[in-house]
């Protein structure tokens, strides 16, 4: 199981990285006018929550090479093992949590409201390689485009927040192999729970993991809302609204996100970051209390 979780973590990093693909690609009015319907392909690879682990960079400090790579691998694997040991009690309480099932059922319903008609909907636990993506694109009819949604979910390195990140891309039949006509990276962060480490895991797990289950449901709702919002958003810099700073838990340290506020609700803010990601952040916690008004 440890090797499986490690493999999933590495694979998701590769999948989400996207090689040289830009972080955000905005759909042009001309492209949108050509699309009458979509084929949606939702890919949920994970079976269970993982913990974000900082990869080792010893190899860089030692000049790289095989020895450095072996040290990095050993250190990173040790960190993954340590995080899984801390997670053990929570895993026992959330065995019945089926993120894939909940996400697929929710997005199937909500895509009926998507700005472009979704004519076909497919879900799969298997990552799409280039060959499979090319095959799916080859089946598109005139006026059709392929919508691909890759969500993943994880606890931050300090165990305080549940994060969800999804990559959404749209593809026409023709065009470059690695550049979609539209692409967005969507990030949800929950309210922080506890001071970190084992204490946070204990709080996530109390009362049959009620807080964790609620965060999972909220993350799905928020991610799907971001999916629907993303297609209509211009890239940062296309509008002249002033960027503000928002504090974000980057896994043990507070990082600043600059961006413009897209939507303000009672409990959450939607922010289009200058880093070109679309964020759903909590409004009532210290995580975002430093926004500049």
């Amino acid at each position: 199981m440890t090797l499986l979780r490690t493999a999933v973590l590495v694979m998701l990093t590769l999948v989400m990285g996207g090689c040289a693909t830009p972080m955000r690609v905005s759909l042009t009015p001309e492209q949108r006018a050509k699309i009458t319907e979509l084929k949606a392909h939702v890919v949920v690879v994970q079976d269970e929550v993982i913990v974000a682990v900082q990869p080792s960079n010893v190899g860089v400090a030692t000049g790289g090479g095989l020895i450095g790579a072996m040290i990095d691998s050993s250190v990173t694997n040790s960190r993954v093992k340590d995080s899984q040991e801390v997670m053990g009690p929570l895993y026992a309480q959330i065995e019945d949590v089926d993120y894939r099932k909940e996400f697929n059922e929710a997005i199937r319903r909500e895509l009926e409201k998507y700005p472009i008609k979704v004519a076909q909907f497919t879900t799969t636990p298997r990552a799409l390689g280039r060959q499979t993506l090319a095959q799916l694109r080859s089946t598109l009819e005139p006026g059709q485009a392929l919508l691909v949604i890759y969500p993943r979910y994880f606890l931050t390195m300090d165990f305080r927040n549940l994060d969800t990140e999804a990559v959404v891309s749209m593809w026409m039949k023709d065009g470059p192999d690695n550049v979609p006509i539209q692409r967005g990276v969507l990030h949800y962060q929950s309210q922080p729970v506890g001071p970190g480490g084992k204490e946070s895991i204990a709080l996530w797990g109390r009362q049959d993991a009620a807080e964790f289950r609620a965060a999972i449901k909220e993350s799905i709702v928020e991610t799907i809302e971001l999916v629907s919002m993303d297609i209509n958003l211009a890239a940062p810099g296309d509008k002249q609204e002033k960027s503000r700073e928002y504090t974000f838990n980057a896994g043990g340290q507070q990082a600043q996100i600059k961006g413009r506020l897209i939507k303000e609700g009672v409990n959450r803010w939607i922010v289009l970051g200058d880093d070109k990601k679309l964020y759903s952040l909590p409004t009532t916690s210290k995580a975002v209390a430093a926004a500049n008004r």
Side-chain angles (χ1 to χ4, degrees):
M1 186 61 73
T2 297
L3 291 176
L4 174 60
R5 289 174 186 152
T6 303
V8 168
L9 180 63
V10 173
M11 179 175 63
L12 285 171
T13 301
L14 294 174
V15 167
M16 303 296 285
C19 300
T21 305
M23 181 70 72
R24 172 169 290 275
V25 179
S26 296
L27 190 66
T28 68
E30 294 76 17
Q31 290 168 330
R32 184 161 178 170
K34 295 178 181 179
I35 303 171
T36 57
E37 63 180 35
L38 298 171
K39 288 185 176 181
H41 214 89
V42 179
V43 185
V44 185
V45 177
Q46 283 176 262
D47 287 320
E48 59 189 16
V49 67
I50 58 177
V51 180
V53 174
Q54 181 66 41
S56 170
N57 289 317
V58 172
V60 175
T62 59
L66 179 59
I67 299 299
M70 291 174 65
I71 294 173
D72 281 342
S73 177
S74 176
V75 173
T76 300
N77 286 340
S78 177
R79 291 174 180 173
V80 172
K81 181 179 179 181
D82 290 345
S83 71
Q84 289 168 353
E85 289 178 356
V86 176
M87 283 284 291
L90 181 59
Y91 277 132
Q93 292 176 286
I94 60 173
E95 285 184 339
D96 62 326
V97 174
D98 192 337
Y99 178 91
R100 181 185 294 125
K101 180 175 182 291
E102 291 195 35
F103 187 90
N104 287 343
E105 289 178 352
I107 200 164
R108 184 182 291 272
R109 291 192 306 269
E110 294 303 314
L111 280 182
E112 294 180 2
K113 308 170 190 175
Y114 197 70
I116 302 175
K117 178 185 176 182
V118 177
Q120 183 177 321
F121 185 94
T122 303
T123 63
T124 177
R126 303 186 65 176
L128 303 183
R130 288 187 179 182
Q131 185 175 353
T132 302
L133 180 60
Q135 193 277 326
L136 291 172
R137 292 172 66 183
S138 72
T139 65
L140 295 173
E141 301 291 339
Q144 288 184 333
L146 177 68
L147 178 68
V148 180
I149 304 171
Y150 265 103
R152 64 168 180 152
Y153 61 109
F154 52 95
L155 290 178
T156 53
M157 285 184 287
D158 58 4
F159 305 98
R160 297 181 68 232
N161 297 78
L162 177 74
D163 281 22
T164 300
E165 189 157 279
V167 174
V168 180
S169 59
M170 192 179 297
W171 306 80
M172 298 292 284
K173 186 171 186 175
D174 301 316
D177 289 340
N178 64 335
V179 182
I181 59 172
Q182 189 264 340
R183 184 180 193 265
V185 180
L186 322 174
H187 199 118
Y188 157 92
Q189 184 162 94
S190 76
Q191 294 277 2
V193 173
K198 293 182 179 180
E199 292 180 64
S200 287
I201 291 298
L203 292 173
W204 281 118
R206 67 181 177 179
Q207 298 180 336
D208 192 33
E211 191 122 29
F212 181 84
R213 296 172 190 272
I216 283 287
K217 290 183 181 298
E218 182 183 64
S219 75
I220 291 172
V221 170
E222 290 296 313
T223 298
I224 292 174
E225 180 177 5
L226 295 180
V227 169
S228 294
M229 293 177 64
D230 186 66
I231 190 174
N232 291 322
L233 292 179
D238 292 352
K239 295 189 176 182
Q240 298 303 313
E241 289 95 333
K242 178 183 176 182
S243 289
R244 303 167 182 170
E245 287 190 346
Y246 301 82
T247 302
F248 177 82
N249 182 10
Q253 62 180 1
Q254 297 299 305
Q256 299 298 316
I257 295 172
K258 287 188 176 182
R260 57 185 174 92
L261 187 65
I262 302 299
K263 178 181 178 181
E264 182 172 5
V266 176
N267 299 313
R268 304 197 69 79
W269 288 342
I270 306 298
V271 175
L272 182 58
D274 290 352
D275 62 0
K276 301 184 181 180
K277 289 186 181 182
L278 184 62
Y279 293 90
S280 172
L281 301 172
T283 60
T284 56
S285 73
K286 293 179 181 179
V288 291
N292 296 330
R293 288 293 193 177

